[in-house]
Amino acid sequence: MKSVLVIDAPPMMREFLTEKLTAENVIVEIADGQRDALPKFLSVLPDLVIINVEHSVSDILDFLDKKQSDPNGKKIPVIMSGPVIDHDEVSDLVQYGVIKYFTRPIRYDLFFDSVGRVLHTSFSVDTTPCVLDMHLNKDIIFIEIAKGLNREKITLLKYKLAEIIESNNLLLPKLILMMSDLSLSYVDGLNLELLLENITADRRILRRNIKILSFDTFVSDFIEGHPIYDGIKVVQNLSDVMASLVDTTADSIENLISDKILALSDGNGKNADAVRFYSDTHTAYGSPETSEGLLKIAVIDSDMSVVKYLKSVLETIAEVTVFMTPKEFVSSVQPGSFDFAITGMVMPEITGLDILRFLVEKHIDLPVIVYSNVIQKEVIMQALKLGAGSYLINPQPAQVIVQKVLEIINARKQ
């Protein structure tokens, strides 16, 4: 049997790799730290070494030097993951048998393709477009799933949930699964079953503390038809979700929705985490390009201060065209005119909802983010129903806006 030595992987990555490799009859050995790594490496002499670097490549150089000095170990290939490093550093790693360096967050489809080439094993990796975000606010874990159900991300979700619960000492965590963007059918049944299995795997998450926001009848019928999901409630109203899980001491349900769902990021990423697939050359922001060149984004808002702010933020990743009146945008937009759009909600004559309806009616496939200070739940849910990729409450830090744009763009590329 083939064997792999995994060194210094964080818990989520370690558990995910172990599950994935074991399913293909690959023996997995785990090592924490260089002192543990070298003895295990020499005793096992695995077919592949997978190393995660937390801070700097220099942290693992001592192990790599000793590996190369061993006549039996120097030919064993290494795959590494870690922070962004420059091209020269990647080139220097070749002398140690490093055949691939993946920048975090890892794109696992490419990662397992590389592992499979070394082990002469074909790994099945689900590439279904999917956006999966997780946020923690007090004892409530919010999970947002859009675009589709991806089995790899759903599997990672199980480990990430356990990590969040343990690191924050949550005794009775509550979970809100937001799936308002998804429309499923019986062919998605196995993936939905896997999702529910993974979010209920941790015994600390009681079924009565799980609420699912979905407008899809298949989801509600699927859950109501399975006794093992007894206690899980599917709702179509954000107020119902919050009223059942949160002590309503705030001024209103609308404030609760804004505070606990729509404004989860603190600007430093403190309360936000994600399960995502990006390319292995992804940088913090990057400059995504289309086949015609630099990404083109339309910004639509009648508020000059909002327009100036969004333009300055988005010019770091794209060519930005500003429309101070929504009529101007509607009269000029055509299929392929733009790759992305960000619109306000309250504008003269034409609202953000009108823009979304127009795009649907004209069959213009354009991803849109609504950026507005309107927090009424009816407006928010209507925007999502009309195809908005996300609804961001104004104001938001620059990194939150850019991250959300790149996230949606990357999901559509997969």
Side-chain angles (χ1 to χ4, degrees):
M1 292 180 66
K2 302 288 186 179
S3 63
V4 172
L5 175 63
V6 179
I7 302 174
D8 287 343
M12 184 175 74
M13 180 181 180
R14 181 177 65 231
E15 297 297 331
F16 180 55
L17 289 180
T18 300
E19 180 174 329
K20 194 76 176 175
L21 293 169
T22 302
E24 299 296 333
N25 296 315
V26 176
I27 298 172
V28 180
E29 297 287 343
I30 303 296
D32 293 317
Q34 295 194 57
R35 288 186 178 180
D36 184 34
L38 189 62
K40 282 195 175 181
F41 173 77
L42 295 175
S43 64
V44 174
L45 288 177
D47 298 282
L48 172 66
V49 178
I50 297 175
I51 303 174
N52 176 73
V53 177
E54 189 61 32
H55 301 294
S56 170
V57 170
S58 61
D59 297 340
I60 200 69
L61 288 182
D62 183 56
F63 166 80
L64 292 175
D65 280 328
K66 290 175 179 176
K67 168 189 172 297
Q68 289 306 101
S69 65
D70 184 88
N72 296 315
K74 65 183 303 180
K75 292 183 179 180
I76 295 175
V78 177
I79 292 176
M80 294 181 67
S81 65
V84 176
I85 60 176
D86 60 41
H87 181 73
D88 290 340
E89 287 182 282
V90 175
S91 298
D92 290 342
L93 291 172
V94 174
Q95 63 182 305
Y96 299 108
V98 177
I99 60 171
K100 193 72 175 177
Y101 185 92
F102 288 88
T103 301
R104 290 192 301 262
I106 300 170
R107 181 171 173 177
Y108 280 104
D109 49 356
L110 296 183
F111 180 88
F112 280 111
D113 180 67
S114 297
V115 172
R117 289 175 186 273
V118 174
L119 301 179
H120 304 290
T121 301
S122 179
F123 289 91
S124 59
V125 178
D126 188 357
T127 58
T128 301
C130 172
V131 175
L132 199 161
D133 274 329
M134 299 179 65
H135 307 269
L136 175 66
N137 191 298
K138 295 185 178 178
D139 64 342
I140 303 178
I141 301 170
F142 297 91
I143 303 172
E144 180 182 3
I145 302 180
K147 304 302 179 186
L149 297 178
N150 181 292
R151 295 183 69 84
E152 312 305 333
K153 294 185 180 183
I154 292 172
T155 302
L156 280 166
L157 173 63
K158 174 174 62 178
Y159 303 119
K160 190 59 193 176
L161 275 172
E163 185 179 293
I164 289 176
I165 292 170
E166 291 168 10
S167 62
N168 292 277
N169 298 314
L170 302 180
L171 299 178
L172 283 174
K174 300 166 184 176
L175 191 147
I176 295 179
L177 178 60
M178 296 182 285
M179 300 170 56
S180 57
D181 181 64
L182 293 181
S183 178
L184 305 178
S185 67
Y186 72 94
V187 298
D188 302 295
L190 288 177
N191 288 343
L192 182 57
E193 192 173 67
L194 179 65
L195 172 62
L196 294 170
E197 178 184 316
N198 282 346
I199 65 175
T200 58
D202 196 304
R203 294 184 178 181
R204 291 165 291 190
I205 304 178
L206 304 180
R207 283 165 175 73
R208 69 171 183 269
N209 286 334
I210 300 174
K211 311 299 176 186
I212 300 176
L213 178 66
S214 174
F215 305 110
D216 190 58
T217 55
F218 176 78
V219 173
S220 57
D221 291 345
F222 185 90
I223 291 174
E224 290 175 5
H226 284 64
I228 60 173
Y229 304 135
D230 185 43
I232 299 176
K233 186 177 180 182
V234 180
V235 299
Q236 296 185 352
N237 187 300
L238 285 172
S239 298
D240 291 344
V241 173
M242 299 309 296
S244 63
L245 289 183
V246 182
D247 180 15
T248 54
T249 57
D251 295 336
S252 66
I253 288 294
E254 280 74 17
N255 287 338
L256 282 170
I257 292 169
S258 174
D259 292 342
K260 301 196 179 293
I261 294 182
L262 299 170
L264 293 169
S265 174
D266 60 3
N268 298 313
K270 180 181 177 182
N271 295 324
D273 212 327
V275 180
R276 304 188 179 103
F277 291 174
Y278 290 115
S279 76
D280 58 346
T281 56
H282 177 268
T283 59
Y285 281 179
S287 297
E289 295 185 355
T290 66
S291 58
E292 285 75 34
L294 193 64
L295 193 73
K296 296 179 181 178
I297 297 181
V299 172
I300 311 110
D301 204 299
S302 57
D303 188 322
M304 178 62 76
S305 62
V306 171
V307 166
K308 285 184 176 180
Y309 174 64
L310 290 176
K311 188 174 189 293
S312 66
V313 167
L314 296 169
E315 280 181 334
T316 61
I317 61 167
E319 176 186 321
V320 180
T321 302
V322 168
F323 295 91
M324 291 296 297
T325 65
K327 271 191 173 182
E328 183 186 359
F329 171 75
V330 167
S331 63
S332 63
V333 67
Q334 298 290 332
S337 299
F338 300 99
D339 304 297
F340 206 93
I342 298 185
T343 181
M345 180 55 68
V346 180
M347 296 175 287
E349 298 184 13
I350 298 177
T351 68
L353 293 177
D354 293 328
I355 288 176
L356 291 168
R357 289 191 192 96
F358 173 83
L359 294 173
V360 171
E361 291 169 0
K362 297 298 181 181
H363 304 289
I364 299 175
D365 183 20
L366 180 65
V368 178
I369 285 177
V370 176
Y371 185 70
S372 172
N373 55 14
V374 176
I375 64 171
Q376 280 75 19
K377 64 180 183 299
E378 294 84 2
V379 175
I380 295 166
M381 300 318 300
Q382 195 170 358
L384 295 174
K385 282 183 178 180
L386 287 169
S390 185
Y391 195 110
L392 296 179
I393 295 297
N394 179 5
Q396 289 288 342
Q399 61 266 37
V400 172
I401 297 170
V402 172
Q403 178 182 325
K404 182 59 70 173
V405 171
L406 294 179
E407 168 190 299
I408 295 173
I409 289 171
N410 277 303
R412 289 170 68 90
K413 286 181 179 179
Q414 292 175 14

